[in-house]
C-alpha cells in the first residue's frame, strides 16, 4: 500500500506509517520488520505522532478522530472526536512532556 504519513519514535528505533486504507503500521528500524499494526480509523489515516516518552502513538485522518494507541499493550488507549472532517497534522508539545496534543 502507498504510505501517506510517517512518524519517528523519540529514540529512533521505530517509525510509524499511515495509509489510505486506514492502517497504522509500526516498523522496527533495526530489523526492517513490522513491530505491530493498528486498525480503528473509519477512513484514511494521514498523520501520526509519537509521545515524548515513546509509549503512545497518536494518529488522525479523514474520519475526524484522533486515536491514541498504547504501544506497550498494542491497543487503542483513547479515541477523541476532534474535528468534523479531515485532520492533516498532529503535533505533541515536547516541552511539557507531551502534555499537549494539537491537531489541524
Amino acid at each position: 500500500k502507498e504510505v501517506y504519513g510517517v512518524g519517528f519514535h523519540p529514540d529512533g528505533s521505530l517509525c510509524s506509517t499511515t495509509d489510505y486504507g486506514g492502517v497504522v503500521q509500526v516498523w522496527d528500524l533495526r530489523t526492517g520488520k513490522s513491530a505491530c499494526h493498528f486498525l480503528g480509523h473509519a477512513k484514511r489515516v494521514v498523520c501520526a505522532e509519537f509521545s515524548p516518552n515513546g509509549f503512545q502513538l497518536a494518529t488522525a485522518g479523514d474520519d475526524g478522530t484522533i486515536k491514541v494507541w498504547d504501544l506497550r499493550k498494542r491497543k487503542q488507549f483513547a479515541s477523541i472526536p476532534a474535528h468534523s472532517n479531515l485532520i492533516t497534522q498532529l503535533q505533541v508539545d515536547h516541552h511539557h512532556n507531551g502534555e499537549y496534543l494539537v491537531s489541524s
Side-chain angles (χ1 to χ4, degrees), residues 36-83:
C36 62
H37 71 278
F38 299 110
L39 303 170
H41 284 279
K43 298 181 180 178
R44 65 184 176 161
V45 184
V46 298
C47 52
E49 179 81 8
F50 285 94
S51 64
N53 66 11
F55 296 149
Q56 292 88 26
L57 176 67
T59 60
D62 270 351
D63 63 4
T65 65
I66 298 170
K67 307 284 187 189
V68 182
W69 308 94
D70 184 316
L71 295 173
R72 293 173 292 179
K73 295 181 181 177
R74 298 184 180 195
K75 67 179 189 176
Q76 185 177 301
F77 172 75
S79 181
I80 305 162
H83 295 260

